[in-house]
Amino acid sequence: GENAYIADGEAGLTVLDVAVPSAPFLAGALPLDDAAYAVALAGGRAYIAANDAGLVIADVQNPNAPAFLGSYLTAGAARTVAVADGFAFVAEGMAWNGTDLVAGLRKIDISDPTEPQSVGFYAEMEWVGTRIALQAGRAYVAAGSAGMRVLDITAAPAEINMLAPAGPVSGLALGTGQAYLAANQAGISIVDIAQPTALAEIGHADYSPHAGIVAVAAAGEYIYAADGAGGLLIFRPVSY
């Protein structure tokens, strides 16, 4: 579209007009009660992972005046979010559940954006998600040193499998039957996800020296990687 929606930390949600890519400008903004870590868009609404303020839902049909609709206060800090089929999936940071410190993935019914409701939570003591991608009833979660976690989300979230590459996974992107993992100093790991119960690393993209791959996106036959201070790297996987 003509607008970019940015989770802008302490500034909240920032909307830029990018109709002219060489001259973006501020179109609108929505201050929040805590830092915005991530944002997902669906149906004219923005779903914002807002740290200790939880999940915040905003009407962005008028990008010049984003408007608060509702929120869900997560138990742990909301770190990232993805949306599909009337549900938001939020990765929560560590919180005390009365027995242990747990993080995990929460499934939230957003059919009424003014009163979102939790309908399931997968509690995990070993990882905090930093990126979520959804595909075919599954959530693929970048979970740092715990690798990539795959959860069934057709009902309450439940873990199916995991794969840990050589480096911590801070980001991921999905293609057809494949996942591309941002594995920091280990570069990009390419994983066959056709059978989620039998994940297999089938390739690796690296460039030395690099600062560490922290995020990744896939479009067409190319993989775009954020390399920290090293800037943008572009890879094209090749089969031999």
Side-chain angles (χ1 to χ4, degrees), residues 11 14 20 23 39-40 52 63-64 69 75 81 90 97 105 120-121 125 156 161 185 188-189 200 212 232 237:
T14 295
V20 180
V39 59
D52 289 335
N64 299 309
L69 288 174
V81 59
V90 178
N97 70 354
L105 183 73
F121 181 66
M125 290 183 287
N161 204 353
Q185 296 294 334
I188 299 172
S189 173
L232 175 69

Side-chain angles (χ1 to χ4, degrees), residues 84-168:
D85 302 323
F87 296 96
F89 299 87
V90 178
E92 295 186 18
M94 292 292 179
W96 183 253
N97 70 354
T99 306
D100 297 292
L101 279 172
V102 297
L105 183 73
R106 186 173 300 277
K107 181 178 182 179
I108 300 173
D109 185 333
I110 53 174
S111 55
D112 179 355
T114 64
E115 292 288 344
Q117 300 291 325
S118 175
V119 293
F121 181 66
Y122 176 78
E124 173 58 60
M125 290 183 287
E126 297 181 357
W127 55 263
V128 176
T130 57
R131 175 79 170 89
I132 304 167
L134 307 176
Q135 187 179 88
R138 303 181 187 99
Y140 297 80
V141 184
S145 59
M148 177 182 72
R149 301 292 177 132
V150 185
L151 291 88
D152 185 328
I153 55 172
T154 53
E159 189 163 280
I160 300 171
N161 204 353
M162 61 83 66
L163 183 140

Side-chain angles (χ1 to χ4, degrees), residues 2 45 73 119 123 168 192 195 203 206 216-217:
E2 296 186 345
R45 297 178 184 135
L73 186 60
V119 293
D192 185 336
Q195 295 294 332
D206 202 355
V216 64

Side-chain angles (χ1 to χ4, degrees), residues 58 113 231 233 240:
L233 302 178
Y240 293 97

Side-chain angles (χ1 to χ4, degrees), residues 41-66:
L41 301 176
R45 297 178 184 135
Y47 300 84
I48 307 155
N51 203 33
D52 289 335
L55 174 69
V56 175
I57 304 175
D59 185 331
V60 293
Q61 294 182 84
N62 179 0
N64 299 309

